[in-house]
Amino acid sequence: MEEIPSYDLAISFAEDRQSGTRELEDASRQRGLTVLHDPERTHEWWARKSAGDLPDVHVRFFVPVISAMDDFTTAMLRAVATGDQHVLPVLANDVVVPPELLHPHVSYLRDGDHLIEELAGRVERAEAAGWERGRLADVVTRAREIEPPAAVPVTFSRYVEQDAALRYLGEQFAAAIPRLRSRGFAGTTHHGDERIALRIERAGDIVYALDVQRGGIGGDETLNFVVGLHDATSACTNGWARPIYDTETGTAKLELHDQSVFGRDRTEPRTLTREELFTALWQRIDTVLTATAG
């Protein structure tokens, strides 16, 4: 069986970068790197070829030299942002990477005096780490097929979602409170445009209190949670929730911070729907009341 050829780099380029890319190829070879490069294989060529028409070789890195943004170069940058270790873009002509394609742990190479040393360094580090070379056809087609992330709709409003969440929680508390009588508790809930005030009593003693207020420590678009009785003028909080848009599900959710509202110390933020948030709050109330009754 014939062995599949293997290269350190496979170079792609825009048509206007043809001469500069040849210089990159020559300099890379002088540095001891093996390079797959063909003056006919522009970005357009790599973009339209099917997997069966792409070179059957293994590569350490596929290196698109990006001098302008188009569908192909955007796909290559998206592949890097999602963790593809075989795509290594080189930015040229002061091209700017769009914010949605940036990643805090990715540093892009730029065309310049130290590019060859940086490429060689990346190859050496990949070899030292034991990274396997990738089949070039798979690397390119996989990168081309990554779907762009869903965008946040221009009509999404944190304040509209804040209103909806406050109204929903108020309605759910009002519906749940009467059920507490069968357990020996009396409850009241008052909810308006700015605040929900929930109080639960047993024999005239307040055993649980919760205020859900518009705005607070997290910003005026958030919901602030305060557990227990407190001075209405004090800046108290046991947690706060900011409306966000979940692009994976295409729905509005609430990003919950500082969850001592559930009886825990500060924890990592978690994302809930308004229905999930009410369920979590009511489960916490049930836990407190069960302990009180016991």
Side-chain angles (χ1 to χ4, degrees), residues 78-266:
R78 187 178 297 123
V80 176
T82 55
D84 194 318
Q85 65 184 25
H86 293 297
V87 180
L88 183 59
V90 171
L91 307 181
N93 292 358
D94 296 322
V95 67
V96 177
V97 178
E100 66 271 17
L101 297 177
L102 293 173
H103 190 284
H105 303 304
V106 174
S107 57
Y108 296 98
L109 301 184
R110 285 218 173 253
D111 192 9
D113 295 338
H114 303 292
L115 176 59
I116 302 305
E117 292 303 318
E118 290 175 339
L119 285 170
R122 292 290 185 97
V123 170
E124 290 167 1
R125 288 195 293 274
E127 290 175 345
W131 288 2
E132 296 290 336
R133 285 179 165 85
R135 196 153 192 156
L136 181 58
D138 295 338
V139 172
V140 174
T141 53
R142 182 173 62 242
R144 293 187 320 206
E145 291 169 359
I146 296 175
E147 293 291 331
V152 177
V154 295
T155 55
F156 172 72
S157 166
R158 295 186 191 275
Y159 295 97
V160 168
E161 295 304 323
Q162 179 194 49
D163 286 342
L166 191 66
R167 184 170 58 254
Y168 176 82
L169 292 176
E171 292 170 351
Q172 294 303 307
F173 283 133
I177 282 292
R179 299 198 297 267
L180 295 177
R181 285 192 170 276
S182 63
R183 299 175 59 184
F185 296 97
T188 59
T189 181
H190 301 280
H191 62 278
D193 292 339
E194 300 296 323
R195 176 172 171 255
I196 300 169
L198 173 69
R199 302 291 184 267
I200 301 175
E201 299 169 90
R202 185 179 182 88
D205 294 327
I206 297 176
V207 295
Y208 187 84
L210 173 67
D211 287 342
V212 185
Q213 304 162 340
R214 186 191 300 275
I217 189 172
D220 67 354
E221 79 278 23
T222 64
L223 295 178
N224 185 52
F225 302 93
V226 182
V227 178
L229 298 177
H230 61 95
D231 182 348
T233 63
S234 63
C236 299
T237 184
N238 293 97
W240 52 274
R242 171 181 288 117
I244 63 169
Y245 187 83
D246 186 341
T247 55
E248 292 187 6
T249 62
T251 57
K253 293 187 177 181
L254 295 160
E255 184 181 75
L256 186 63
H257 295 255
D258 187 11
Q259 300 160 50
S260 61
V261 65
F262 299 118
R264 297 188 293 268
D265 292 332
R266 294 174 185 267

Side-chain angles (χ1 to χ4, degrees), residues 19-33:
S19 60
T21 308
R22 184 56 186 267
E23 294 173 3
L24 172 61
E25 174 193 10
D26 293 341
S28 299
R29 286 180 172 153
Q30 290 175 13
R31 183 61 175 74
L33 302 175

